[in-house]
Amino acid sequence: MDYKDTLLLPNTTFAMRANLAELEPKRFNKWFENNYAYDKMKQKRQGVSESFTLHDGPPYANGHLHIGHALNKILKDIIIKMHYFQGKKVRFTPGWDCHGLPIEQQVEVKLKDKKQSLSKKEIREFCREHAREFVNIQRDEFKSLGVIADWDEPYLTMKNAFEADIYKALCKIAKKGLLLERSKPVFWSWAAKSALAEAEVEYEDKEDYSIFVAFELDKTSLEKLGVEKAKAVIWTTTPWTLPANQAISLNPNEKYVITEEGYIFAKALLENMINKNFTQGKIQKELLGVEFENLSAINPLNQRKSTLILGDHVLMEGGTGLVHTAPGHGEDDYYVCLKYGIEVIMPVDDGGCYDETLRAKGLLPEHLLSEFIGLHIFKANERILELLGEALLESSKFTHSYPFCWRTHKPVIYRATKQWFILMDEKKLDGKSLRELALEQLNNVKFYPESGAKRLSSMIENRPDWCISRQRDWGVPIAFFRDKNTKEVIFDDDVLDHLVGIFEANGADAWWDLEIKDLLPPNSKYDPNNLEKVYDILDVWFDSGSTWEAVLNSARYDAGEYQASMYLEGSDQHRGWFQSSLLISTAINHKTPYKNILTHGFTVDEKGQKMSKSKGNVILPQNVAKNYGVEILRLWIMLSDYSTDLKISDNILKQVSEQYRKIRNTIRFLLANTNDMEFLETKNFTLLDKWILMRAKVAFEACEAAFEKYEFAKGFSVLLNFLSADLSGIYLDVCKDRLYCNAKDNTKRVSAQSAMVLIARKLFALLAPSLTYTIDEALEHANVAIKENAKDVFDLVLKNGFDYEYKIEDELFIKSREKFFELVDVLKKDKIIKSTLELSLQTSANELLSEDIEEVADWFMVSSVESLDEKEALSEFKIDDHSFKIVRSSLHKCPRCWKFLAKEEECLCPRCNSVEKAKNV
């Protein structure tokens, strides 16, 4: 007789093959239809007091999504859901940076020469349309990744009211006395024709000249020093700045020498000068740096005076100890010249070419002006070296790290222009400076990983004043009026508040569209004829840095609470968004805008190399979704240590797919074997059930603890090990016999099903934040005992604790099982046995013999366990002091369960016999 039909075989409609790429979009569409999923998450937590707000760092509305975007938004989605499934009220309003250079550059490429004939308003409208197009594209692409957020009400920095809020934040800072306009050298992108902030500069290798130039001292200075000849020798890597030289800086506390050749060097660097054959090293005079103060040298390029001044920035780490000083081209140069009242000269225009200042200030001889005016500075180096003649002691080339514009990827320069700055060191905030208060408030922020705290603090400690002005078209204007006569800026509350109202109604375009008289409040005390507009726009980092004000504080969005629970971005945002948000929030509210900061690394290929089209190693999220499924992308993130760079490739994704398959198959087994379950029994667990519940508790608690710290890879490592080794590798395998062969309502069968239900419930809740699609699908096929009242995944709650705690001394069980199967593999290989059910296991271990012998037999997957006797051993082993003997079973194979427990051939064993009899009654 074929007994297969008498078995209670597993049965589920939950498919083994996920078909993710094909089926995910259908489920995602259901989630996003009428904002179903996000609205349900809000509705389910109405009245809950504990909340979690993740404030979204805005990506640029420019271009399609790359794998870094996917990593960032999916990680946010997982963390939001984790807090949701813990029972908290959550808010996640996505947003976009819509202003700034990247968008303006793309529009310029499209417009080409047509731009010259367009008004600012028309150019801005083209930028707005470009941003709008990519907001819609990126929103759809984010939704295709299954990321749940308030997509119906995202924030866009180009909305009228949003621009008004950005401007309002600027006004608040101005009223605190932290805003100042001044002429100062700043990073300048000649390619973009705009000032840059620190955060917009990245460093790359660049080849430059290294030159040593001798400046002769004038007659008066020689007389003061009591020498017949002396030349101050400077070292520089920017020959093109020499026309703008105004001074030479020395360290006041260092010793300087005048050699017999008449060269002035720092004594500490004399040995280097000898090695360069500049001097024999014989000294005619030695003086402290302070003794050179206010002497004069002659610039060999233009015969202009160059004053010898003192500065602590002069170091003895290289060069000559005398520093070429052009206050328009360097921050240290600027500050040291400020102290001496030396004029800041800037002969370079916004495109990086020499301008008419060369003529006006006599920076080059008359006959050279036509050659140099209009010449790009980087093309002037070789000609300047020629013109230096004998004053050039040495010229060579070298490669060094140099600042580049991170948008145009062109080298930047320092260029003095009138710019707006937020002051870091003015004590305007309850007697503290912005720098001091920001550093103090950072102590209240928790960082993941912890190293982020030191990194951000170090950047705040060392950063200069924040240059927030840009000379472009597409952004929020620094909308201030200036008195035409006095040049004084008007910070009048009535005027500023009136402008905020105009921007709310009409957007910031009004600054360009309306005349001054129409921008002033009614009955204003100011005469519009005496005023002029400031036309600079705000650094886009100011836009994004003030989003907490416009999103969390404006009541225009249901976006959560200020301070946000978390900011989460790539590690590059320590110098960008984290910093700009901190400075604006601290300046206005004296506290950080966030309670926690989490950072992730960048995506690289499997060799750790940066992705680029030229290398052919780019992985697009759309392709991963199409070829593998979004769940695989999500699981890849969970299995990666995101605190460092994350490696991704087809090989890696195939490995992740294999892990997903194991998870899915485990879920399928749990569903299939609890499908016919009618009631839950948690009071009479067997030894095996208690053991798996013990192991589950340990694994679940470790996993949950890791997730709480956002250590997802660590948590998944514990969880996958439990699923693979304990649950699938032992328990589910062992339970097959009782699940398939026992009667439907048999105590052991119901007990095993109950243990599986408890594990499935917790497992589903733990996996729901990351594998949301899979758990939602699984719930559709789950017994009501597992899903309880849940209609879909968003009804789940991760209940506190796994309440089934048992203490099972399992060391002997584990050790003996491992050794047993090691020997069984040999017996199978040698074709002595085909199945462990042919065996009995004999042992001297009372710990095993005193337990439920059927349970112990199932543990080893043998037909019986008994005390040692004289039977012939197929194999033997010892664990500690306990002996084990593997013998053949003395009984016969049951044709129904295949255990060797039947008393006669082709007869049922007692267990199967009773099951069959009960069916026939």
Side-chain angles (χ1 to χ4, degrees), residues 96-362:
W96 276 271
D97 250 337
C98 302
H99 297 128
L101 186 59
I103 291 167
E104 193 170 343
Q105 282 181 322
Q106 288 297 315
V107 168
E108 285 176 352
V109 170
K110 287 182 188 174
L111 293 175
K112 298 180 181 174
D113 295 339
K114 185 182 174 185
K115 183 192 173 186
Q116 310 306 321
S117 62
L118 296 175
S119 67
K120 272 197 186 261
K121 181 177 182 179
E122 289 171 319
I123 292 169
R124 287 171 62 84
E125 187 50 46
F126 275 111
C127 290
R128 186 173 286 106
E129 186 51 44
H130 179 92
R132 194 178 292 121
E133 175 190 352
F134 279 99
V135 164
N136 291 329
I137 287 171
Q138 290 186 3
R139 172 165 41 193
D140 288 344
E141 289 175 342
F142 279 132
K143 288 165 79 171
S144 75
L145 297 175
V147 174
I148 294 171
D150 196 359
W151 295 114
D152 285 359
E153 288 295 332
Y155 73 83
L156 310 179
T157 59
M158 66 182 179
K159 284 183 178 178
N160 290 357
F162 210 108
E163 290 182 330
D165 283 332
I166 294 168
Y167 177 65
K168 192 189 301 179
L170 176 68
C171 293
K172 288 179 181 179
I173 291 173
K175 290 172 187 178
K176 297 256 186 173
L178 292 176
L179 194 63
L180 182 69
E181 185 185 30
R182 65 167 180 240
S183 182
K184 176 181 176 290
V186 294
F187 282 125
W188 185 271
S189 173
W190 50 267
K193 296 188 177 182
S194 179
L196 301 177
E198 288 273 318
E200 296 172 303
V201 172
E202 55 190 19
Y203 287 81
E204 299 178 19
D205 284 345
K206 180 177 183 289
E207 186 179 66
D208 272 318
Y209 283 97
S210 165
I211 65 170
F212 292 84
V213 182
F215 284 53
E216 290 191 20
L217 269 60
D218 66 9
K219 187 176 178 182
T220 305
S221 299
L222 293 175
E223 289 172 357
K224 286 181 180 177
L225 291 173
V227 294
E228 290 186 8
K229 61 176 180 178
K231 297 180 181 180
V233 181
I234 62 95
W235 171 73
T236 183
T237 60
T238 54
W240 60 268
T241 63
L242 284 172
N245 172 276
Q246 288 283 74
I248 295 171
S249 299
L250 297 84
N251 189 306
N253 303 312
E254 289 287 338
K255 291 179 179 177
Y256 286 80
V257 299
I258 304 174
T259 68
E260 283 197 353
E261 297 87 353
Y263 294 132
I264 303 170
F265 303 116
K267 187 176 182 182
L269 296 165
L270 182 59
E271 191 69 34
N272 294 357
M273 303 300 102
I274 295 170
N275 292 338
K276 286 185 171 292
N277 296 318
F278 292 166
T279 174
Q280 295 296 313
K282 293 180 181 177
I283 299 169
Q284 61 166 308
K285 203 153 194 174
E286 182 178 312
L287 305 101
L288 271 175
V290 70
E291 298 179 68
F292 289 90
E293 187 174 24
N294 289 322
L295 298 182
S296 297
I298 307 300
N299 186 336
L301 269 182
N302 53 26
Q303 306 307 304
R304 283 169 51 87
K305 183 177 84 169
S306 183
T307 307
L308 274 59
I309 58 178
L310 306 176
D312 292 331
H313 68 288
V314 181
L315 305 176
M316 299 296 120
E317 295 172 355
T320 63
L322 296 92
V323 176
H324 151 57
T325 302
H329 290 301
E331 194 160 12
D332 288 332
D333 302 33
Y334 169 80
Y335 282 117
V336 73
C337 286
L338 197 64
K339 191 169 71 172
Y340 285 89
I342 295 172
E343 181 186 8
V344 176
I345 293 178
M346 175 41 57
V348 180
D349 68 16
D350 59 5
C353 298
Y354 289 115
D355 63 18
E356 285 289 338
T357 309
L358 291 181
R359 189 190 311 278
K361 295 292 181 180

Side-chain angles (χ1 to χ4, degrees), residues 29-81:
N29 289 340
K30 176 185 158 190
W31 289 353
F32 297 124
E33 189 176 345
N34 300 320
N35 218 24
Y36 167 77
Y38 187 75
D39 284 350
K40 181 168 183 177
M41 288 169 71
K42 288 202 297 186
Q43 179 264 325
K44 291 288 288 185
R45 300 292 181 263
Q46 279 184 353
V48 172
S49 57
E50 195 175 2
S51 66
F52 184 85
T53 297
L54 200 158
H55 181 45
D56 193 28
Y60 273 113
N62 192 30
H64 289 270
L65 299 187
H66 54 66
I67 198 72
H69 288 122
L71 161 65
N72 180 263
K73 274 293 196 293
I74 289 173
L75 197 51
K76 288 174 179 174
D77 177 69
I78 288 167
I79 288 174
I80 276 286
K81 285 176 183 167

Side-chain angles (χ1 to χ4, degrees), residues 671-687:
L671 295 178
N673 285 285
T674 55
N675 199 307
D676 64 354
M677 190 175 177
E678 294 177 354
F679 63 94
L680 194 66
E681 172 56 69
T682 61
K683 293 180 180 175
N684 298 303
F685 285 125
T686 68
L687 173 69

Side-chain angles (χ1 to χ4, degrees), residues 415-432:
R415 180 172 180 265
T417 56
K418 271 211 161 192
Q419 301 292 342
W420 290 89
F421 295 88
I422 291 177
L423 304 175
M424 293 298 297
D425 296 307
E426 290 290 315
K427 295 185 182 292
K428 301 280 188 179
L429 305 173
D430 296 336
K432 295 176 182 174

